[in-house]
Amino acid sequence: MSDPTRTLPLRVPTPVDDADRAILGRVAGGDLDALDALYERYKTMAYSIAYRITDDTTLAEDVVQEAFLGAWRNAARYVEGRGSVKTWLLAIVHHRAVDAVRRRRPTTELPDREDVPPPPLRLPDVWTEVAVRLDAEQVRAALSVLSDVQREVIELAYYRGLTQVQIAERTNTPLGTVKSRMRLGLLAMREVLQEHAP
Amino acid sequence: VTDQQPPPATLTCDDVRDLAAGFVLDALTPDEMVAVRTHLASCDDAHAEMAELAAALPVLAESVPIVEPPAGLGARVRAAAEADLASRAAADGPSAMTAWAPVIPPSGVASMPEATPVAPATPAPVPAAARGPRPASWALGIAAVLAIAVLGGWNLVLQGQLSDAQAYEAHMGMVLDLAAEPGAQTVVLASDGDGPTGLAVLGPNGEMAMAMQSMPATSGTQVYEAWAIAGDAAPVPLGSFQVGNDGTGTFALDDLDAEPGVVLAVTLEPGPGATAPTGPIVASGASSSG
């Protein structure tokens, strides 16, 4: 599915990236106007993701507020060169939204709250190859390569906040198969992005 | 399969590769997430598979239907950041702690503090003078707050929950600053016996900040709901919050229209969104303008 000898080209910083980093630098210094600017740039994407996952306007608002507050408080920890500010910020939104829907579910579907460590706020240190600016054709092309079963597990994970184990239970599929479908689906989409890279 | 089986305390590189897709999709259990992160933090292998798999995530993010946020959300974000700045200032000096001081609407659910110590962002210098003098008439209320903060902090440290204690104390700093505002009202919340205690301050411009301690932890969808009761009127729900093992809870509003003498009460409810109290009152108190 994926040629291990190929790697995505390192992203070339764009003017948008540069502007974002400049704003984030001011946010790290406690500049409230810079936080406003960051919010204005990404409020729609952030809220759209939060609402898609939570399906609840109030919860989505709380998620977006928490995510931007998380960015506000952790801006100094953003590592330049490891993905764009946009990707970093939207990943925080996703973490928060998933955490919110998991807490909302009945306790029978949740691990004991007392055993729940805090959701991760920062990205993995290996977050390096993420493309940022995708056009609609790239998105369509990447999604179209997924098989039905790959799409199912990825959607249940990313948009519904289910764990691999919960997906295995819900779809009555062995856990190893769920993991394999996730991995192969993600790699297939990445391969399409490489083919469509400028 | 079961979701209750904990992952091994120490993962091998093969374990991490097996969990990688779930990791980048946020589809692991919290224990697994921590285990993977712990491994990545110390592993000599760069685990390039993580970045390869994560490269597809923007496709998922870009494919969601576009929904515009409500107009007031930006102001809420800024207000929350302002409260955070105030908390940092209250913590004072280079040892300033990051704080979790959510400003939420009456219908919202406050999140509890992050339990993992987070390297503080560069603290914004806020001159002490900018916070204004604290009128002597507030001495009693502030003394009560300090007593609660000190005793609460000591107990929490004993429990080994330092980061939560820091967040709680930082939020208490915000409560103190609000108490210093001319025209602010304080509410000492108490219960029968050794139950929950806390303090809330109603600011002159509709702000309200509350810090509670010694509260039994909520579970599942359970929340503590705060209520305002004016005279014989029906209780008005202010919002809800959850409490973890450290027993502390914080809560803030910026649009409370409270009459002098209003009574605040906290009840335990099965879930957020209650329009009338259904659970027992765990703590209550009347506002006092000194």
Side-chain angles (χ1 to χ4, degrees):
Chain A
M1 185 66 70
S2 175
D3 180 352
T5 64
R6 295 182 63 195
T7 58
L8 278 175
L10 288 176
R11 292 182 55 255
V12 177
T14 67
V16 171
D17 294 334
D18 293 339
D20 281 350
R21 280 195 294 273
I23 290 172
L24 200 65
R26 290 166 51 207
V27 170
D31 185 337
L32 288 165
D33 291 338
L35 180 66
D36 287 342
L38 188 68
Y39 176 79
E40 286 301 318
R41 290 168 86 90
Y42 294 116
K43 64 180 180 182
T44 302
M45 277 295 296
Y47 187 75
S48 298
I49 291 171
Y51 182 72
R52 175 68 178 81
I53 294 169
T54 62
D55 194 30
D56 181 299
T57 55
T58 299
L59 206 52
E61 291 174 32
D62 290 346
V63 164
V64 171
Q65 177 181 322
E66 290 176 8
F68 275 93
L69 189 58
W72 160 260
R73 296 164 64 196
N74 292 280
R77 303 178 69 210
Y78 168 77
V79 179
E80 193 170 323
R82 291 180 173 169
S84 70
V85 171
K86 176 182 178 180
T87 304
W88 177 75
L89 178 63
L90 296 183
I92 295 175
V93 172
H94 188 262
H95 286 310
R96 293 287 188 178
V98 166
D99 185 59
V101 294
R102 287 181 182 174
R103 289 186 188 281
R104 186 179 59 183
R105 289 195 189 108
T107 54
T108 53
E109 294 185 32
L110 287 170
D112 187 341
R113 189 177 187 281
E114 295 181 0
D115 295 330
V116 178
L121 245 189
R122 68 182 182 86
L123 290 170
D125 292 336
V126 291
W127 198 277
T128 57
E129 294 191 10
V130 181
V132 178
R133 300 168 65 81
L134 303 178
D135 60 32
E137 176 54 33
Q138 286 177 300
V139 171
R140 274 195 295 272
L143 290 174
S144 69
V145 300
L146 294 177
S147 69
D148 288 345
V149 290
Q150 288 171 347
R151 183 189 310 277
E152 178 183 42
V153 297
I154 288 173
E155 289 189 350
L156 286 173
Y158 189 83
Y159 297 126
R160 301 292 299 279
L162 296 187
T163 66
Q164 292 178 326
V165 174
Q166 290 171 326
I167 293 170
E169 291 174 339
R170 176 174 290 207
T171 61
N172 197 26
T173 304
L175 180 58
T177 304
V178 169
K179 291 178 179 178
S180 176
R181 288 172 180 171
M182 275 187 187
R183 186 177 69 83
L184 295 176
L186 291 174
L187 291 176
M189 287 195 290
R190 169 181 177 265
E191 194 163 1
V192 172
L193 292 180
Q194 285 182 307
E195 292 167 358
H196 285 71
Chain B
V1 289
T2 172
D3 215 1
Q4 304 304 316
Q5 184 174 350
T10 302
L11 300 179
T12 66
C13 285
D14 284 342
D15 293 332
V16 170
R17 282 187 274 273
D18 182 58
L19 295 171
F23 182 76
V24 302
L25 286 167
D26 286 333
L28 301 182
T29 65
D31 285 344
E32 289 172 331
M33 290 293 284
V34 170
V36 171
R37 300 181 70 82
T38 301
H39 177 95
L40 293 176
S42 59
C43 184
D44 292 334
D45 188 327
H47 281 284
E49 72 276 4
M50 291 288 184
E52 292 172 5
L53 293 165
L57 294 184
V59 172
L60 302 174
E62 297 277 358
S63 64
V64 300
I66 296 299
V67 183
E68 291 295 331
L73 185 54
R76 279 179 54 192
V77 169
R78 184 179 177 111
E82 286 175 333
D84 185 61
L85 269 183
S87 298
R88 295 181 202 175
D92 282 334
S95 63
M97 299 167 287
T98 56
W100 186 252
V103 176
I104 60 175
S107 58
V109 178
S111 292
M112 289 306 297
E114 302 288 349
T116 298
V118 177
T122 305
V126 178
R131 287 182 271 141
R134 291 179 175 156
S137 60
W138 297 108
L140 186 59
I142 291 172
V145 176
L146 288 173
I148 293 169
V150 171
L151 292 174
W154 173 245
N155 289 334
L156 294 171
V157 170
L158 285 178
Q159 294 168 30
Q161 295 168 343
L162 182 59
S163 58
D164 279 357
Q166 289 172 337
Y168 173 75
E169 290 174 1
H171 187 88
M172 186 61 81
M174 190 177 75
V175 175
L176 282 169
D177 279 349
L178 188 56
E181 294 285 333
Q185 303 175 65
T186 54
V187 182
V188 177
L189 293 118
S191 57
D192 296 332
D194 297 328
T197 57
L199 192 125
V201 175
L202 311 176
N205 300 309
E207 316 94 322
M208 185 272 247
M210 174 190 289
M212 301 291 298
Q213 66 159 359
S214 301
M215 304 189 81
T218 52
S219 63
T221 60
Q222 276 187 331
V223 296
Y224 286 104
E225 184 79 29
W227 306 87
I229 307 169
D232 295 330
V236 176
L238 302 179
S240 54
F241 56 96
Q242 293 182 306
V243 169
N245 290 336
D246 66 301
T248 65
T250 59
F251 178 72
L253 284 175
D254 60 2
D255 59 353
L256 179 62
D257 183 17
E259 297 292 328
V262 68
V263 171
L264 298 184
V266 177
T267 63
L268 181 61
E269 302 291 339
T275 56
T278 63
I281 294 177
V282 297
S284 63
S287 69
S288 164
S289 58

